[in-house]
Amino acid sequence: MGIDNFTAQKRTGAGIPTTNGRPAAGRPFSGLPRGRQIHKTFNNIKITILCGFVTILVLRGTIGVGNLGGSGGDADNQNLIEETNRILAEIRSDGADPDDPAESQINPNVTYTLGPKIANWNEERKVWLDQNPEFPNFVNGKARILLVTGSPPNPCDNPIGDHYLLKSIKNKIDYCRIHGIEIVYNMAHLDKELAGYWAKLPLIRRLMLSHPEVEWIWWMDSDAFFTDMVFEIPLSKYDNYNLVVHGYPDLMFNQKSWIALNTGSFLFRNCQWSLDLLDAWAPMGPKGPIRDEAGRILTANLKGRPAFEADDQSALIYLLISKKDEWMDKVFLENAYYLHGYWAGLVDRYEEMIEKYHPGLGDERWPFVTHFVGCKPCGSYGDYAVEKCLRSMERAFNFADNQVLKLYGFRHRGLLSPKIKRIRNETATPLEFVDQFDIRRQPVHGEHS
């Protein structure tokens, strides 16, 4: 029987009963009076209408009345996108919090400070360490290090930027876990006047004062990746120094270059000298007229510096040049290994490094840190094409991650692939692989690389 015939028959059988008193052919007479049949028929109609109405209400509450049509779902999706963008816009906005007290204006005639002057930190810290032996500044003969990094409190302008911030912190957590280093990830502006490049200064000072058990504070930018997971900083090399930063004496004092050193990765000893240097470094940082005027001074005095507001790196170079006798005897300009390695000359050579060299060198053969200077994956602008930066950051992350995954018997399918593949089979004696591949057992210090 065809579908059309079946449908017609079904509709006929379910039709409204006839009001004629005669029985239909093939059906027995119901025996009900005509009035009661009519009343029953109308009751059935009302029940059917009521059930249909309830069904519509349920559907509307469950999937939305707009989705019953063909294009309603697209409209709802568009509304959801617009609402999400609105929330993100509110988060990104710099609107004042009504509960915040009114901010006082910075007086340009008064030297800006990070806080109350502290003059006896070495003595106070020593007393605290003596009174709290459960928090030693040296553990098993190694100085306690606190790695500090962070990112702005707002979401990235470019959504992919948040993904690479996640990869960056994963990379740093891996390195710190392997080498027994503590880590702090900050997303708060502790001083509203020192935003942007300068936000690290009040944070470093606060961490020094709040963690007297830490011997070294190691700042690292969010766009810098560890790419030698075996190499360790040779701290004994810096016993007589309080600031370790990647730099070149010739560029600093002979050429007075604005790139003589890089503040994307540096170490501060927790001591009075460091607090004093932070106090001397900060006054160029307050946003507004002070930072703008300081920028003009830095551009006039540092070779090759473009005209823009004062940044922390240029300010430190200017301070160390202009007051060399006061500060430089405790500053170590490190260039024997890559505490900072400029990415553009490194990321395309990773395959060559893998073929010729091995982790633990830390220098141009296998860079300790690859720093993506000029890339702004979290911002809406940068000095390089976003695609090139993201591709290079992906290569750097996977280059480092392969060194971590090796212990577990895996590596990435390629330096641009997030997918991994097995590089050795499981075994009934897994500890032999731990002894062979665990890089925690084979750290390489700078002086022995």
Side-chain angles (χ1 to χ4, degrees):
M1 183 179 292
I3 294 177
D4 291 339
N5 292 335
F6 175 79
T7 304
Q9 282 193 356
K10 191 172 183 182
R11 286 174 182 163
T12 302
I16 298 176
T18 180
T19 57
N20 194 335
R22 256 180 231 171
R27 289 178 61 186
F29 186 74
S30 65
L32 291 175
R34 184 179 179 185
R36 289 189 61 186
Q37 284 185 339
I38 295 174
H39 182 71
K40 184 176 180 180
T41 298
F42 280 103
N43 281 341
N44 289 338
I45 293 173
K46 288 191 288 186
I47 291 173
T48 302
I49 293 173
L50 180 61
C51 289
F53 182 70
V54 171
T55 301
I56 292 174
L57 289 179
V58 171
L59 289 174
R60 182 175 182 177
T62 305
I63 64 174
V65 68
N67 289 339
L68 296 176
S71 61
D74 294 338
D76 285 348
N77 288 336
Q78 182 62 32
N79 290 337
L80 180 60
I81 293 172
E82 292 176 356
E83 179 67 10
T84 301
N85 290 335
R86 183 189 64 79
I87 294 173
L88 287 174
E90 288 183 359
I91 295 174
R92 290 192 180 107
S93 68
D94 292 327
D97 187 335
D99 295 330
D100 284 349
E103 295 184 34
S104 57
Q105 294 294 321
I106 296 295
N107 186 346
N109 297 319
V110 177
T111 301
Y112 184 80
T113 64
L114 292 172
K117 176 66 177 177
I118 297 174
N120 57 341
W121 178 240
N122 289 346
E123 293 76 12
E124 291 185 9
R125 180 169 176 256
K126 183 178 185 305
V127 170
W128 188 94
L129 290 171
D130 291 341
Q131 293 175 346
N132 296 272
E134 69 275 20
F135 294 104
N137 58 329
F138 282 78
V139 179
N140 297 325
K142 294 177 61 176
R144 190 189 291 264
I145 302 175
L146 179 63
L147 182 74
V148 185
T149 187
S151 58
N154 300 331
C156 291
D157 294 337
N158 183 354
I160 194 66
D162 290 308
H163 177 65
Y164 279 91
L165 285 179
L166 179 62
K167 288 196 169 188
S168 173
I169 188 58
K170 191 269 185 189
N171 168 265
K172 294 176 176 64
I173 290 172
D174 277 341
Y175 183 86
C176 290
R177 172 180 55 82
I178 291 167
H179 296 278
I181 295 175
E182 300 171 51
I183 185 169
V184 165
Y185 192 94
N186 180 66
M187 297 180 66
H189 284 154
L190 304 187
D191 189 325
K192 293 182 179 180
E193 295 301 326
L194 297 184
Y197 322 104
W198 294 89
K200 60 174 73 82
L201 270 64
L203 174 60
I204 291 171
R205 183 179 189 270
R206 175 48 50 196
L207 290 172
M208 281 187 182
L209 301 178
S210 301
H211 294 281
E213 76 279 8
V214 171
E215 185 67 18
W216 289 96
I217 301 285
W218 182 358
W219 170 263
M220 196 167 179
D221 283 356
S222 61
D223 59 356
F225 287 74
F226 287 106
T227 42
D228 190 335
M229 306 301 281
V230 176
F231 187 88
E232 282 191 351
I233 288 183
L235 288 180
S236 60
K237 185 177 179 180
Y238 314 125
D239 285 346
N240 297 320
Y241 298 92
N242 297 329
L243 172 62
V244 182
V245 59
H246 190 92
Y248 300 90
D250 177 65
L251 288 178
M252 173 84 80
F253 299 109
N254 296 330
Q255 301 187 40
K256 294 181 173 54
S257 170
W258 82 293
I259 56 172
L261 57 78
N262 188 277
T263 55
S265 176
F266 62 90
L267 291 92
F268 255 135
R269 188 185 297 277
N270 192 349
C271 64
Q272 182 66 51
W273 182 95
S274 298
L275 293 177
D276 292 342
L277 180 60
L278 287 170
D279 286 341
W281 188 1
M284 284 190 175
K287 59 185 179 182
I290 294 177
R291 192 183 295 184
D292 293 338
E293 177 60 28
R296 287 188 281 271
I297 294 173
L298 296 175
T299 298
N301 286 276
L302 298 179
K303 180 181 177 180
R305 187 183 191 274
F308 67 103
E309 65 179 15
D311 64 290
D312 64 300
Q313 179 173 300
S314 299
L316 180 60
I317 294 172
Y318 180 75
L319 176 64
L320 296 179
I321 292 175
S322 59
K323 298 189 176 181
K324 178 180 179 180
D325 294 340
E326 183 176 352
W327 300 111
M328 277 306 298
D329 62 332
K330 292 295 182 180
V331 178
F332 195 103
L333 297 180
E334 181 61 83
N335 51 61
Y337 61 90
Y338 281 10
L339 185 59
H340 146 82
Y342 179 51
W343 66 278
L346 298 174
V347 293
D348 292 331
R349 295 180 46 237
Y350 286 149
E351 287 85 358
E352 176 190 349
M353 297 173 191
I354 294 170
E355 181 180 350
K356 294 182 178 180
Y357 306 111
H358 55 81
L361 300 173
D363 54 21
E364 71 280 355
R365 295 168 294 176
W366 200 289
F368 181 37
V369 173
T370 300
H371 187 192
F372 289 86
V373 179
C375 286
K376 302 290 184 183
C378 194
S380 55
Y381 68 93
D383 299 332
Y384 301 91
V386 174
E387 295 79 8
K388 181 178 182 180
C389 286
L390 296 182
R391 177 184 174 91
S392 299
M393 293 175 86
E394 184 72 21
R395 286 174 57 83
F397 174 82
N398 292 336
F399 179 71
D401 203 39
N402 280 342
Q403 300 166 52
V404 177
L405 292 173
K406 186 177 181 180
L407 171 62
Y408 312 121
F410 295 90
R411 69 174 173 85
H412 287 267
R413 292 185 178 275
L415 293 184
L416 281 174
S417 175
K419 297 181 179 180
I420 61 173
K421 66 178 182 180
R422 186 180 296 277
I423 58 175
R424 64 175 182 270
N425 294 325
E426 297 288 346
T427 175
T429 56
L431 292 182
E432 64 183 72
F433 289 126
V434 174
D435 294 336
Q436 182 178 357
F437 296 113
D438 189 353
I439 57 181
R440 293 175 299 177
R441 299 172 179 266
Q442 45 184 319
V444 178
H445 299 270
E447 64 265 38
H448 303 304
S449 62

